[in-house]
Amino acid sequence: MEVALESGVLIRHRVRADDRLDLLAARYLGDPCAYWHICDANAALDPDALVGPAAEGSTILIPGG
């Protein structure tokens, strides 16, 4: 699902236990090193808090075009 916000289009991603930010950045943004864009979109200071078993089922925003 995509949602339009002031900074552009954001994609909602439901976190799975085996998700990694670098892999999500590669999938959605085309660059694994762009994981920090996902952190910024979620106001996250700790990237590891967004993914992994503890975050399973939560929804994170991924910046798009």
Side-chain angles (χ1 to χ4, degrees):
M1 168 186 252
E2 293 184 359
V3 37
L5 293 179
E6 63 187 58
S7 61
V9 175
L10 295 176
I11 300 163
R12 294 182 189 270
H13 174 83
R14 182 162 310 260
V15 176
R16 297 182 347 195
D18 61 346
D19 278 342
R20 290 182 14 201
L21 277 186
D22 61 334
L23 298 179
L24 292 176
R27 176 179 168 191
Y28 289 106
L29 306 175
D31 180 3
C33 293
Y35 69 89
W36 62 273
H37 288 290
I38 299 172
C39 293
D40 286 350
N42 291 277
L45 298 177
D46 179 9
D48 294 330
L50 292 176
V51 294
E56 184 174 16
S58 64
T59 301
I60 59 174
L61 299 174
I62 311 231

Coordinates of all heavy atoms in Angstrom, one line a residue:
M1 N 0.8 -1.2 0.0 CA 0.0 0.0 0.0 C 0.9 1.2 0.0 O 1.9 1.3 0.7 CB -0.9 0.0 1.2 CG -1.6 1.3 1.5 SD -2.5 1.3 3.0 CE -4.1 1.2 2.4
E2 N 0.5 2.2 -0.8 CA 1.3 3.5 -0.8 C 0.4 4.6 -0.2 O -0.8 4.6 -0.3 CB 1.7 3.8 -2.3 CG 2.7 2.9 -2.9 CD 3.1 3.3 -4.2 OE1 2.6 4.3 -4.7 OE2 3.9 2.6 -4.8
V3 N 1.1 5.5 0.4 CA 0.4 6.6 1.0 C 1.2 7.9 0.7 O 2.4 7.9 0.7 CB 0.2 6.5 2.5 CG1 1.4 5.8 3.1 CG2 -0.1 7.7 3.2
A4 N 0.5 9.0 0.3 CA 1.2 10.2 -0.1 C 1.3 11.1 1.2 O 0.3 11.3 1.9 CB 0.4 10.9 -1.2
L5 N 2.5 11.5 1.4 CA 2.7 12.4 2.5 C 3.5 13.6 2.0 O 3.9 13.7 0.8 CB 3.5 11.7 3.6 CG 2.8 10.6 4.4 CD1 3.7 10.0 5.4 CD2 1.6 11.1 5.0
E6 N 3.8 14.6 2.9 CA 4.5 15.8 2.4 C 5.8 15.5 1.8 O 6.2 16.3 0.9 CB 4.6 16.7 3.6 CG 5.5 16.2 4.7 CD 5.5 17.1 5.9 OE1 4.4 17.3 6.5 OE2 6.6 17.5 6.3
S7 N 6.5 14.5 2.1 CA 7.8 14.2 1.6 C 7.8 13.3 0.3 O 8.8 12.9 -0.2 CB 8.7 13.5 2.6 OG 8.1 12.3 3.0
G8 N 6.6 13.0 -0.2 CA 6.5 12.1 -1.3 C 5.7 10.9 -1.0 O 4.9 10.8 -0.1
V9 N 5.9 9.9 -1.8 CA 5.2 8.6 -1.6 C 6.0 7.7 -0.7 O 7.2 7.6 -0.8 CB 5.1 7.9 -3.0 CG1 4.4 6.5 -2.9 CG2 4.2 8.8 -4.0
L10 N 5.2 7.1 0.2 CA 5.8 6.2 1.2 C 5.1 4.8 1.0 O 3.9 4.8 0.8 CB 5.6 6.7 2.6 CG 6.4 7.9 3.0 CD1 6.1 8.4 4.4 CD2 7.9 7.8 2.8
I11 N 5.9 3.8 1.1 CA 5.3 2.4 1.0 C 5.3 1.8 2.4 O 6.3 2.0 3.1 CB 6.2 1.6 0.1 CG1 6.3 2.2 -1.3 CG2 5.8 0.1 0.0 CD1 7.4 1.7 -2.2
R12 N 4.2 1.2 2.7 CA 4.1 0.5 4.0 C 4.6 -0.9 3.8 O 4.1 -1.6 2.9 CB 2.7 0.5 4.5 CG 2.1 1.9 4.8 CD 0.7 1.8 5.3 NE 0.1 3.1 5.4 CZ 0.1 3.9 6.5 NH1 0.8 3.4 7.6 NH2 -0.4 5.0 6.5
H13 N 5.5 -1.3 4.7 CA 6.0 -2.7 4.7 C 5.8 -3.4 6.0 O 6.2 -2.8 7.1 CB 7.5 -2.7 4.4 CG 8.2 -4.0 4.5 ND1 8.1 -4.9 3.4 CD2 8.8 -4.6 5.5 CE1 8.7 -6.0 3.8 NE2 9.2 -5.9 5.0
R14 N 5.1 -4.5 6.0 CA 4.9 -5.3 7.3 C 6.2 -6.1 7.5 O 6.6 -6.9 6.7 CB 3.7 -6.2 7.2 CG 3.5 -6.9 8.5 CD 2.1 -7.5 8.6 NE 1.1 -6.5 8.3 CZ 0.4 -5.8 9.3 NH1 0.6 -6.0 10.5 NH2 -0.6 -5.0 8.9
V15 N 6.8 -5.9 8.7 CA 8.0 -6.5 9.0 C 7.9 -8.0 9.3 O 7.0 -8.4 10.0 CB 8.6 -5.8 10.3 CG1 9.9 -6.5 10.7 CG2 8.9 -4.4 10.0
R16 N 8.8 -8.8 8.7 CA 8.9 -10.2 9.0 C 10.1 -10.5 9.9 O 11.0 -9.6 9.9 CB 9.0 -11.0 7.7 CG 7.8 -10.9 6.8 CD 7.9 -11.7 5.6 NE 9.3 -12.2 5.3 CZ 9.7 -12.7 4.2 NH1 8.9 -12.8 3.1 NH2 10.9 -13.2 4.0
A17 N 10.1 -11.6 10.6 CA 11.2 -11.8 11.5 C 12.6 -11.9 10.8 O 13.6 -11.5 11.5 CB 11.0 -13.2 12.2
D18 N 12.6 -12.2 9.6 CA 13.9 -12.4 8.9 C 14.3 -11.1 8.1 O 15.3 -11.1 7.3 CB 14.0 -13.6 8.0 CG 12.9 -13.6 6.9 OD1 12.0 -12.8 7.0 OD2 13.0 -14.4 6.0
D19 N 13.5 -10.0 8.2 CA 13.8 -8.8 7.4 C 15.1 -8.2 7.9 O 15.4 -8.2 9.1 CB 12.7 -7.8 7.6 CG 11.6 -8.1 6.6 OD1 11.7 -8.8 5.6 OD2 10.5 -7.5 6.9
R20 N 15.9 -7.6 7.0 CA 17.1 -6.8 7.3 C 16.9 -5.5 6.5 O 16.5 -5.4 5.4 CB 18.3 -7.5 6.8 CG 18.6 -8.7 7.6 CD 19.9 -9.4 7.2 NE 20.8 -8.7 6.4 CZ 21.7 -9.2 5.6 NH1 21.9 -10.5 5.6 NH2 22.5 -8.5 4.8
L21 N 17.4 -4.4 7.1 CA 17.2 -3.1 6.5 C 18.0 -3.0 5.2 O 17.5 -2.4 4.3 CB 17.6 -2.0 7.5 CG 16.6 -1.5 8.5 CD1 17.1 -0.3 9.2 CD2 15.3 -1.2 7.8
D22 N 19.2 -3.5 5.1 CA 19.9 -3.5 3.9 C 19.2 -4.2 2.8 O 19.2 -3.7 1.6 CB 21.4 -4.0 4.1 CG 21.5 -5.4 4.5 OD1 20.5 -5.9 5.2 OD2 22.5 -6.0 4.2
L23 N 18.6 -5.3 3.1 CA 17.9 -6.1 2.0 C 16.6 -5.3 1.6 O 16.2 -5.3 0.4 CB 17.6 -7.5 2.5 CG 18.8 -8.3 2.8 CD1 18.4 -9.7 3.3 CD2 19.7 -8.5 1.6
L24 N 15.9 -4.7 2.6 CA 14.7 -3.9 2.2 C 15.1 -2.7 1.4 O 14.4 -2.4 0.4 CB 14.0 -3.5 3.5 CG 13.4 -4.6 4.3 CD1 12.8 -4.0 5.6 CD2 12.3 -5.3 3.5
A25 N 16.2 -2.1 1.7 CA 16.7 -0.9 0.9 C 17.1 -1.4 -0.5 O 16.8 -0.7 -1.4 CB 17.9 -0.3 1.6
A26 N 17.7 -2.5 -0.6 CA 18.0 -3.0 -2.0 C 16.8 -3.3 -2.7 O 16.7 -3.0 -3.9 CB 18.9 -4.3 -1.8
R27 N 15.8 -3.9 -2.1 CA 14.5 -4.3 -2.8 C 13.7 -3.1 -3.2 O 13.3 -3.0 -4.3 CB 13.7 -5.2 -1.8 CG 12.4 -5.5 -2.3 CD 11.6 -6.4 -1.4 NE 10.2 -6.5 -1.7 CZ 9.3 -7.1 -0.9 NH1 9.6 -7.5 0.3 NH2 8.1 -7.1 -1.3
Y28 N 13.5 -2.1 -2.3 CA 12.6 -1.0 -2.6 C 13.3 0.2 -3.2 O 12.8 0.9 -3.9 CB 11.9 -0.6 -1.3 CG 10.9 -1.5 -0.8 CD1 11.1 -2.3 0.3 CD2 9.6 -1.6 -1.4 CE1 10.1 -3.2 0.8 CE2 8.7 -2.5 -1.0 CZ 8.9 -3.3 0.2 OH 8.0 -4.1 0.6
L29 N 14.6 0.4 -2.8 CA 15.3 1.6 -3.2 C 16.4 1.4 -4.2 O 17.0 2.3 -4.7 CB 15.9 2.3 -2.0 CG 14.9 2.7 -0.8 CD1 15.6 3.2 0.4 CD2 13.8 3.6 -1.3
G30 N 16.8 0.1 -4.4 CA 17.8 -0.2 -5.4 C 19.2 -0.1 -4.9 O 20.1 -0.3 -5.6
D31 N 19.4 0.1 -3.6 CA 20.7 0.3 -3.0 C 20.7 -0.1 -1.6 O 20.1 0.6 -0.7 CB 21.1 1.8 -3.1 CG 22.5 2.1 -2.6 OD1 23.2 1.1 -2.1 OD2 22.9 3.3 -2.6
P32 N 21.5 -1.2 -1.2 CA 21.5 -1.6 0.2 C 22.0 -0.6 1.1 O 21.7 -0.6 2.3 CB 22.3 -2.9 0.2 CG 23.1 -2.8 -1.1 CD 22.3 -2.0 -2.1
C33 N 22.9 0.3 0.7 CA 23.5 1.3 1.5 C 22.5 2.5 1.8 O 22.8 3.4 2.6 CB 24.7 1.9 0.9 SG 26.1 0.7 0.8
A34 N 21.3 2.5 1.2 CA 20.3 3.5 1.4 C 19.4 3.2 2.6 O 18.3 3.8 2.7 CB 19.5 3.7 0.1
Y35 N 19.8 2.2 3.4 CA 18.9 1.8 4.6 C 18.6 3.0 5.5 O 17.6 3.1 6.1 CB 19.6 0.7 5.4 CG 20.8 1.1 6.1 CD1 20.7 1.6 7.4 CD2 22.1 1.1 5.5 CE1 21.8 2.1 8.1 CE2 23.2 1.5 6.2 CZ 23.1 2.0 7.5 OH 24.2 2.4 8.2
W36 N 19.5 4.0 5.5 CA 19.3 5.2 6.4 C 18.1 6.0 5.9 O 17.5 6.7 6.8 CB 20.6 6.0 6.5 CG 21.0 6.6 5.2 CD1 21.8 6.0 4.2 CD2 20.7 7.9 4.6 NE1 22.0 6.8 3.2 CE2 21.3 8.0 3.4 CE3 19.9 8.9 5.1 CZ2 21.2 9.1 2.6 CZ3 19.8 10.0 4.3 CH2 20.4 10.1 3.1
H37 N 17.7 5.9 4.6 CA 16.5 6.6 4.2 C 15.3 6.0 4.9 O 14.3 6.7 5.2 CB 16.3 6.5 2.7 CG 17.3 7.3 1.9 ND1 17.2 8.7 1.9 CD2 18.3 6.9 1.1 CE1 18.2 9.1 1.1 NE2 18.9 8.1 0.6
I38 N 15.3 4.7 5.1 CA 14.2 4.0 5.8 C 14.2 4.4 7.2 O 13.1 4.7 7.8 CB 14.3 2.5 5.6 CG1 14.3 2.1 4.2 CG2 13.3 1.8 6.5 CD1 14.6 0.6 3.9
C39 N 15.4 4.5 7.8 CA 15.5 5.0 9.2 C 14.9 6.4 9.4 O 14.1 6.7 10.3 CB 16.9 5.0 9.7 SG 17.6 3.4 9.9
D40 N 15.3 7.3 8.4 CA 14.8 8.7 8.5 C 13.2 8.7 8.3 O 12.6 9.5 9.0 CB 15.4 9.5 7.3 CG 16.8 9.9 7.6 OD1 17.3 9.7 8.8 OD2 17.5 10.4 6.7
A41 N 12.7 7.9 7.4 CA 11.2 7.9 7.2 C 10.5 7.4 8.4 O 9.3 7.7 8.6 CB 10.9 7.0 6.0
N42 N 11.2 6.7 9.3 CA 10.5 6.2 10.5 C 11.0 6.8 11.8 O 10.7 6.4 12.9 CB 10.8 4.7 10.6 CG 10.0 3.9 9.5 OD1 8.8 3.6 9.6 ND2 10.7 3.7 8.4
A43 N 11.8 7.9 11.6 CA 12.4 8.6 12.8 C 13.1 7.7 13.7 O 13.0 7.8 14.9 CB 11.3 9.4 13.5
A44 N 13.8 6.7 13.2 CA 14.5 5.7 14.0 C 16.0 6.1 14.2 O 16.7 6.4 13.2 CB 14.4 4.4 13.3
L45 N 16.4 6.1 15.4 CA 17.8 6.3 15.7 C 18.6 5.0 15.8 O 19.8 5.0 15.6 CB 18.0 7.1 17.1 CG 17.3 8.4 17.1 CD1 17.5 9.0 18.5 CD2 18.0 9.4 16.1
D46 N 17.9 3.9 16.0 CA 18.5 2.6 16.1 C 17.9 1.8 14.9 O 16.8 1.3 15.0 CB 18.2 1.9 17.4 CG 18.8 0.5 17.5 OD1 19.6 0.1 16.6 OD2 18.5 -0.2 18.5
P47 N 18.7 1.6 13.9 CA 18.2 0.8 12.7 C 17.7 -0.6 13.1 O 16.7 -1.1 12.5 CB 19.4 0.8 11.7 CG 20.3 1.9 12.1 CD 20.1 2.1 13.6
D48 N 18.4 -1.2 14.0 CA 18.1 -2.6 14.4 C 16.7 -2.7 15.0 O 16.1 -3.8 15.1 CB 19.1 -3.2 15.3 CG 20.4 -3.4 14.6 OD1 20.4 -3.6 13.3 OD2 21.5 -3.3 15.2
A49 N 16.2 -1.6 15.6 CA 14.9 -1.6 16.2 C 13.7 -1.7 15.2 O 12.6 -2.1 15.6 CB 14.7 -0.3 17.1
L50 N 14.0 -1.4 14.0 CA 12.9 -1.4 13.0 C 12.6 -2.8 12.4 O 11.6 -3.1 11.9 CB 13.3 -0.6 11.8 CG 13.4 0.9 12.0 CD1 13.8 1.7 10.8 CD2 12.0 1.4 12.5
V51 N 13.6 -3.8 12.5 CA 13.5 -5.1 11.9 C 13.9 -6.2 12.9 O 14.3 -5.9 14.0 CB 14.3 -5.2 10.6 CG1 13.8 -4.3 9.6 CG2 15.8 -4.9 10.9
G52 N 13.7 -7.4 12.5 CA 14.1 -8.5 13.4 C 12.9 -9.1 14.1 O 11.8 -8.6 14.0
P53 N 13.1 -10.2 14.8 CA 12.0 -10.9 15.5 C 11.2 -10.0 16.4 O 10.0 -10.2 16.5 CB 12.8 -12.0 16.3 CG 14.0 -12.2 15.6 CD 14.4 -10.9 15.0
A54 N 11.8 -9.1 17.1 CA 11.1 -8.2 18.1 C 10.2 -7.3 17.4 O 9.2 -6.8 17.9 CB 12.1 -7.4 18.9
A55 N 10.5 -6.9 16.1 CA 9.6 -6.0 15.4 C 8.6 -6.7 14.4 O 7.9 -6.1 13.7 CB 10.5 -5.1 14.5
E56 N 8.6 -8.0 14.4 CA 7.8 -8.8 13.5 C 6.3 -8.4 13.7 O 5.8 -8.2 14.7 CB 7.9 -10.3 13.8 CG 7.1 -11.1 12.8 CD 7.4 -12.6 13.0 OE1 7.9 -13.0 14.0 OE2 7.0 -13.4 12.0
G57 N 5.7 -8.1 12.5 CA 4.3 -7.7 12.5 C 4.1 -6.2 12.5 O 3.0 -5.8 12.2
S58 N 5.1 -5.5 12.9 CA 4.9 -4.0 12.8 C 5.0 -3.5 11.4 O 5.4 -4.2 10.5 CB 6.0 -3.3 13.7 OG 7.3 -3.6 13.2
T59 N 4.6 -2.3 11.2 CA 4.7 -1.7 9.8 C 5.7 -0.6 9.8 O 5.7 0.3 10.7 CB 3.3 -1.1 9.5 OG1 2.3 -2.2 9.5 CG2 3.3 -0.5 8.1
I60 N 6.6 -0.6 8.8 CA 7.5 0.5 8.7 C 7.2 1.2 7.3 O 6.6 0.6 6.4 CB 9.0 0.1 8.8 CG1 9.3 -1.0 7.7 CG2 9.3 -0.5 10.1 CD1 10.8 -1.4 7.6
L61 N 7.6 2.4 7.2 CA 7.5 3.2 6.0 C 8.8 3.2 5.2 O 9.9 3.4 5.8 CB 7.1 4.7 6.3 CG 5.8 4.8 7.1 CD1 5.6 6.3 7.5 CD2 4.6 4.3 6.3
I62 N 8.6 3.0 3.9 CA 9.8 3.0 3.0 C 9.6 4.2 2.0 O 8.5 4.2 1.3 CB 9.9 1.7 2.3 CG1 9.8 0.6 3.3 CG2 11.1 1.7 1.4 CD1 10.8 -0.5 3.3
P63 N 10.5 5.1 2.0 CA 10.4 6.2 1.0 C 10.4 5.7 -0.4 O 11.2 4.8 -0.7 CB 11.5 7.2 1.3 CG 12.5 6.3 2.0 CD 11.8 5.2 2.7
G64 N 9.6 6.3 -1.2 CA 9.6 6.0 -2.7 C 9.8 7.2 -3.5 O 10.2 8.2 -3.0
G65 N 9.4 7.0 -4.8 CA 9.6 8.1 -5.8 C 8.9 9.3 -5.4 O 8.9 10.4 -5.5

